[in-house]
Amino acid sequence: LHVSEIELGLDRCRSVAERMGLGQPKYGFVSVSGTNGKGSSVSMLSAIARKAGYKTGVYTSPHLVRYNERIRIDGEQIADDLLCKAFNVIDQARGDTSLTYFEFGTLAAYYLFEQLDVDFAVFEVGLGGRLDAVNLMDATVALVTSIDIDHTDWLGTDRNAISYEKAGIMRSQHPAICSDPDAPARLVEHAKSIEAELYLSGIDYHYENNGDTWTWRDTETEYVDLPRPNLRGDFQLMNAAGVLKVIQTLSDRYPMSEQHIRDGLQSVSLSGRFQVIPGEVEVVLDVAHNPHAAKVLTDFLKKNP
């Protein structure tokens, strides 16, 4: 329906959301932006929340096999009839407003999570953050994962410029976490300018790789001998550490115990990220799609010939 596959901006989505009667969600939700590590962070956070007993909605993109993968409730893909109902509601509400493919899906997620009365949700930003459709609503907590060069036609040509777009999901007086150990200056400046409560890796929280286990701590809490996430690669500890800080900031409203964290880390799964399919010839599937991700994949293959 739309003239281009991508058109950043919130005005179209906002006007349709208002016509749908969609306001700020009653459930708490975490918005996740970044260049790499978004999918892993979303998967870990939602796995832990489910172990804690919360009815958890997840919105991610793109899908690998079925469109329904993009919207999940408690780990289950949304049913066709519910998805089609949501699209019909959006189509009726939009009138002459043209929406992109991604905007339709994002509005459907917000609508369905409200209709199905989820306790908690995790939204993965599609592109950038500031002007992405996910940023339509105010997240309870914002998580920015590692930042690298990607989508330069849309987001800028250096980490500082790109980090400003990613930081657009932050809100004044709301917690924001950056799990990149080298947070760009512009991201930090933006958080300060809007008075977001920014927590940085290596400053406000710390983690240590102990081989088979790892340790996480901040000024209030320490977790010792945690199981490694059920996702391949040492860099997943960086993602997991950011997720644990998110959980700490949510603890008053959504308490999650150390046992929930342990169970969630051990049960998490994510297709297409260092996914190994055993057989006579072993197959590795990975969606590395930018220089940083390609280097991580290369390093992983060198260590695991």
Side-chain angles (χ1 to χ4, degrees):
L1 290 172
H2 199 68
V3 293
S4 59
E5 185 180 351
I6 298 170
E7 185 178 340
L8 295 178
L10 300 177
D11 292 343
R12 292 183 309 282
C13 252
R14 186 172 284 122
S15 66
V16 177
E18 287 170 358
R19 283 177 239 157
M20 291 170 66
L22 280 179
Q24 181 66 24
K26 297 181 183 69
Y27 53 85
F29 78 94
V30 177
S31 182
V32 184
S33 72
T35 306
N36 295 307
K38 294 194 298 292
S40 301
S41 299
V42 168
S43 295
M44 284 187 262
L45 182 53
S46 59
I48 294 166
R50 292 203 308 274
K51 291 296 182 182
Y54 299 111
K55 185 176 183 181
T56 304
V58 172
Y59 177 60
T60 59
S61 63
H63 59 278
L64 294 179
V65 181
R66 291 181 78 223
Y67 185 91
N68 309 54
E69 295 168 31
R70 293 173 178 241
I71 301 175
R72 301 189 297 281
I73 307 285
D74 283 343
E76 298 296 321
Q77 296 176 21
I78 200 73
D80 287 350
D81 59 336
L82 291 171
L83 196 53
C84 290
K85 178 188 175 185
F87 284 151
N88 276 325
V89 170
I90 296 164
D91 203 33
Q92 292 297 312
R94 72 179 182 84
D96 295 330
T97 302
S98 174
L99 296 172
T100 67
Y101 181 92
F102 183 77
E103 288 168 340
F104 257 98
T106 305
L107 285 169
Y110 277 120
Y111 173 81
L112 287 166
F113 292 163
E114 186 175 283
Q115 293 291 306
L116 298 172
D117 202 23
V118 302
D119 299 318
F120 178 73
V122 191
F123 283 78
E124 179 186 359
V125 166
L127 178 61
R130 184 173 63 94
L131 299 175
D132 185 86
V134 165
N135 204 31
L136 187 65
M137 306 294 180
D138 298 336
T140 313
V141 181
L143 171 61
V144 181
T145 62
S146 69
I147 298 163
D148 205 68
I149 309 301
D150 198 8
H151 301 300
T152 52
D153 291 349
W154 297 94
L155 305 180
T157 56
D158 59 67
R159 289 180 77 245
N160 244 344
I162 291 170
S163 75
Y164 173 71
E165 297 297 328
K166 308 291 186 186
I169 65 170
M170 298 176 182
R171 293 294 191 274
S172 175
Q173 311 301 323
H174 284 238
I177 289 89
C178 181
S179 57
D180 190 320
D182 182 22
R186 196 167 179 197
L187 177 144
V188 177
E189 289 163 6
H190 176 70
K192 188 175 182 180
S193 71
I194 66 168
E195 298 184 339
E197 300 168 16
L198 180 62
Y199 300 97
L200 297 173
S201 175
I203 297 175
D204 301 296
Y205 68 92
H206 306 265
Y207 67 96
E208 295 166 12
N209 183 354
N210 303 324
D212 293 335
T213 64
W214 65 293
T215 300
W216 184 95
R217 70 179 185 280
D218 66 4
T219 55
E220 299 176 6
T221 309
E222 183 176 43
Y223 298 122
V224 179
D225 292 332
L226 287 169
R228 295 174 67 88
N230 187 37
L231 301 171
R232 296 167 188 264
D234 285 345
F235 64 92
Q236 292 295 359
L237 295 183
M238 175 186 73
N239 295 325
V243 165
L244 264 58
K245 187 59 187 176
V246 169
I247 288 170
Q248 288 299 102
T249 66
L250 288 166
S251 59
D252 287 346
R253 184 172 174 186
Y254 296 99
M256 303 181 206
S257 71
E258 181 175 346
Q259 192 58 53
H260 297 143
I261 291 169
R262 290 176 176 275
D263 292 344
L265 291 175
Q266 290 177 303
S267 66
V268 66
S269 63
L270 184 60
S271 299
R273 270 58 159 208
F274 293 141
Q275 182 181 357
V276 178
I277 301 176
E280 187 176 345
V281 177
E282 195 172 63
V283 175
V284 179
L285 302 177
D286 192 73
V287 295
H289 66 289
N290 52 56
H292 180 254
K295 182 181 185 304
V296 170
L297 174 59
T298 304
D299 292 344
F300 176 79
L301 293 173
K302 284 177 180 175
K303 292 176 184 174
N304 301 272

